[in-house]
Amino acid sequence: MNDFDRDDKLETLGGIVERDYRRVQKADDPFLVLDVAPDASFDDIENQFERYERFYTADKFESLENEKLAAKRDELLEAFEDAFDKIRKKFSANQSRLEESGGEDVEDELA
């Protein structure tokens, strides 16, 4: 990769990382961290999480040789994983209560 390509890629990725980083730092809700609606389906939430995982791959960032950007990437991935785990647990708990109730409506506590 020549210097021009590297600088262009660094600028583009840097802007995306900064945008996500600012959002995640302000967010106290796992849905905000993943940038999904609280009433999104679990499949949609999982797809969004997987998109972040694909975007924030180590290979993409290692070639840029920028430690600050790589550190933010690591923090973001950790935040995305934590948020997804919290949401998955809530969905799992709601599914368990639904099964225990025999299919009757269970109040949605995800929001």
Side-chain angles (χ1 to χ4, degrees):
M1 175 182 314
N2 66 42
D3 287 342
F4 178 75
D5 290 340
R6 184 183 168 281
D7 291 345
D8 191 41
K9 187 174 181 181
L10 183 60
E11 184 178 337
T12 300
L13 284 177
I16 295 168
V17 169
E18 285 300 321
R19 181 196 65 213
D20 287 344
Y21 192 78
R22 282 192 304 269
R23 185 189 74 248
V24 167
Q25 292 300 307
K26 289 190 238 178
D28 59 352
D29 180 282
F31 294 96
L32 294 175
V33 170
L34 290 176
D35 199 23
V36 293
D39 61 349
S41 72
F42 184 77
D43 286 341
D44 288 342
I45 295 166
E46 186 173 39
N47 287 336
Q48 178 74 345
F49 171 69
E50 289 170 353
R51 277 193 289 269
Y52 282 127
E53 279 191 319
R54 284 189 304 272
F55 180 80
Y56 285 100
T57 60
D59 294 345
K60 189 181 295 183
F61 288 81
E62 286 174 0
S63 66
L64 297 174
E65 300 174 356
N66 184 302
E67 290 181 25
K68 288 182 182 180
L69 199 57
K72 285 184 178 182
R73 170 211 168 264
D74 293 344
E75 285 184 53
L76 285 167
L77 275 175
E78 185 176 331
F80 296 145
E81 289 167 359
D82 289 346
F84 185 65
D85 285 344
K86 288 176 184 176
I87 293 170
R88 181 178 28 221
K89 287 176 185 174
K90 288 181 181 182
F91 267 87
S92 180
N94 282 349
Q95 183 62 34
S96 294
R97 286 187 300 190
L98 181 63
E99 290 170 2
E100 290 171 4
S101 71
E104 296 176 21
D105 288 339
V106 174
E107 183 178 335
D108 183 14
E109 297 178 10
L110 292 175

